[in-house]
Amino acid sequence: LAVAAAAAILLGTWIASTLVARNRTLHVVNGFDKPLTAEVEGAGSVTVNGPGHATLGVPEGRRRVRVRGAAEVEHEIAIESGFLGRFFDGRVFVLNPAGRATLVRETTVYSERPDGQGGAFNLRYGEPFMVFSGIDYAFQPFPAKLQVSDHSKRVDKTRIDLLRDPPLGVFQFLSLEGRKNDAMAFAEWCLDRPAPDPDLMTAYAMHALASGRGPRALDLLRKGLGRRPVDIAWHRLYQTVAQHGAPPGPLVDEYDALLKKDPDSSALLYLRGRLCTSLRASLDFHERAARADPKNAYAQNAIGYARISSGDWAGARERVEAALRLDPGSDTFQRLHDEIRLALGEHEAVAREVRERLRESPLDLSQNQMLVLALAAGGKGGEAVTHGVDVQGRILKEMGKDIGGIAR
């Protein structure tokens, strides 16, 4: 009887394992802003509309996947698991077309007396197909509460999900956590694609310089120098990083060579002007850039900056306002415009407009700094100090880190 019972249990387990093998869950994630459809050989297809997640039942084995829509690619996947592992290893299979989405693997601790210790997270990105083990919750939030046994007093649980936070915020968080290599690698992956996020570009370059990783950043930035049309923001950062602690000569020669190949390029004329050591020579290049393309906002702004140096505040304002009309979302142009207006005595108007901008982003560091400047310039030093201290406290509370030096 015992043998028969064991055989029955074994047979039942085998049948159950076979049924599981015939219908494993494939999680399909979309890291693009447009819909995509994944067609899995011998299993059907599933569509994910924009950033998000969907599932498809797929038999175990090696299969070809054809992706259409936001990405036109083909991938090979292997849905495989051991006999008992199908029940106990918490294995999760994820198709990530073109490797575009970022996934987070997160561990949390449930305890009768939580102490804030033990949680962890890691990012996975750039991989078209991923297999995770030991997952308790796939693309689900952690439960708010969990029963903990009297014996263990605590239990660890792990989940995976699509990371939906903006790349800049993730980069800053990793940096503040001291995970500088992780931060650099994540930013490099995000930036090594068309139309990179300009704010992430700037944060990455400044972080690289501050942490002694300038040569590493240059390796990435050099990759984008050949893009056409010329990405001015990308070149500006390249120049900044390349000039850090180095003589200007080689960089000047590099841009002279680029201009020789394309002498009428407004973008290259502007970029060459940034390397000049004299205001007159720089202004000449920038005026040539503006004539070559009056819609080059960077050239217009640079001419405005040059006019400040000669005391022509009205002329500077005219050019910077032209730059803002061409690129109204530029924080750089907006800040220079505000500074010009403060110099012209428009303290109250600037303070009022900055307060309006802060309604959308109350903790925007640059805008809060400008408000402090406007208040101080308008003779409201006490209010400026009070506002600065208040904002610093709110930023520290929000970030949960001592970034007082940055806030100040």
Side-chain angles (χ1 to χ4, degrees):
L1 289 176
V3 173
I9 292 172
L10 183 61
L11 177 61
T13 304
W14 179 83
I15 291 172
S17 181
T18 301
L19 291 174
V20 170
R22 291 177 180 174
N23 189 34
R24 301 306 302 266
T25 299
L26 176 65
H27 298 266
V28 182
V29 294
N30 183 358
F32 295 90
D33 292 328
K34 298 179 181 179
L36 61 76
T37 298
E39 185 177 340
V40 182
E41 178 185 13
S45 63
V46 63
T47 298
V48 187
N49 294 311
H53 154 262
T55 60
L56 179 68
V58 178
E60 287 191 0
R62 294 184 174 274
R63 301 185 181 278
R64 180 174 291 276
V65 181
R66 181 175 175 234
V67 180
R68 295 173 284 108
E72 300 285 337
V73 293
E74 289 191 1
H75 297 303
E76 293 279 351
I77 64 173
I79 309 292
E80 298 172 340
S81 197
F83 178 75
L84 293 177
R86 293 171 186 142
F87 302 106
F88 302 115
D89 65 7
R91 190 164 293 192
V92 177
F93 305 94
V94 181
L95 175 68
N96 181 16
R100 183 60 176 258
T102 301
L103 272 70
V104 57
R105 178 188 178 118
E106 183 181 6
T107 299
T108 196
V109 178
Y110 291 88
S111 172
E112 290 183 351
R113 297 180 178 84
D115 58 8
Q117 303 297 317
F121 80 95
N122 287 291
L123 303 180
R124 295 277 294 273
Y125 48 84
E127 302 173 68
F129 180 65
M130 293 173 273
V131 181
F132 296 86
S133 296
I135 303 302
D136 300 295
Y137 307 101
F139 300 93
Q140 301 175 49
F142 284 120
K145 296 181 180 181
L146 203 65
Q147 184 68 39
V148 178
S149 71
D150 293 335
H151 174 70
S152 67
K153 300 297 184 182
R154 57 174 280 164
V155 62
D156 294 359
K157 290 294 182 180
T158 302
R159 68 186 286 266
I160 60 167
D161 208 343
L162 193 65
L163 187 69
R164 300 177 185 273
D165 299 282
L168 177 60
V170 176
F171 172 77
Q172 291 172 330
F173 179 80
L174 290 170
S175 299
L176 289 169
E177 286 285 299
R179 296 167 60 172
K180 298 187 183 301
N181 282 328
D182 288 345
M184 292 284 288
F186 177 72
E188 287 159 359
W189 175 73
C190 292
L191 294 173
D192 193 14
R193 63 180 64 169
D197 178 356
D199 292 331
L200 179 59
M201 286 166 48
T202 301
Y204 167 79
M206 297 305 102
H207 174 83
L209 291 177
S211 61
R213 293 171 171 83
R216 175 173 171 173
L218 278 179
D219 289 341
L220 172 73
L221 293 168
R222 283 193 184 98
K223 294 180 181 179
L225 299 183
R227 293 179 190 148
R228 294 296 180 269
V230 175
D231 186 334
I232 293 179
W234 187 275
H235 276 257
R236 279 166 53 93
L237 285 177
Y238 170 72
Q239 291 180 342
T240 298
V241 176
Q243 286 179 306
H244 187 73
L251 201 59
V252 170
D253 293 342
E254 183 177 352
Y255 278 84
D256 281 342
L258 289 172
L259 260 180
K260 188 174 181 179
K261 295 178 182 178
D262 191 0
D264 297 323
S265 168
S266 175
L268 291 176
L269 285 165
Y270 161 75
L271 291 164
R272 177 60 182 84
R274 294 185 77 239
L275 304 177
C276 293
T277 56
S278 78
L279 180 61
R280 183 181 296 276
S282 176
L283 182 59
D284 177 63
F285 273 109
H286 292 151
E287 287 179 336
R288 287 167 60 192
R291 288 195 298 270
D293 180 8
K295 293 184 179 180
N296 184 336
Y298 283 100
Q300 298 288 355
N301 189 71
I303 295 170
Y305 190 85
R307 289 186 174 177
I308 290 175
S309 300
S310 62
D312 182 8
W313 293 96
R317 179 175 188 164
E318 178 185 353
R319 288 293 187 146
V320 175
E321 287 180 348
L324 268 175
R325 286 193 295 272
L326 293 166
D327 187 1
S330 170
D331 291 337
T332 300
F333 302 163
Q334 183 64 65
R335 184 174 183 85
L336 184 57
H337 187 243
D338 289 340
E339 290 173 351
I340 291 171
R341 293 176 64 199
L342 289 181
L344 294 173
E346 299 180 20
H347 316 124
E348 292 289 341
V350 171
R352 183 172 59 252
E353 291 170 20
V354 172
R355 289 186 195 276
E356 286 294 320
R357 294 177 214 145
L358 284 170
R359 289 186 178 183
E360 294 185 6
S361 303
L363 298 183
D364 184 300
L365 189 56
S366 177
Q367 293 298 329
N368 277 293
Q369 287 174 335
M370 181 54 65
L371 180 56
V372 169
L373 286 176
L375 291 171
K380 299 179 179 179
E383 187 178 348
V385 171
T386 299
H387 179 78
V389 171
D390 174 66
V391 169
Q392 175 178 312
R394 285 188 288 150
I395 291 176
L396 292 173
K397 183 178 179 180
E398 180 73 16
M399 300 300 293
K401 293 288 178 181
D402 184 10
I403 55 170
I406 298 174
R408 284 189 290 274

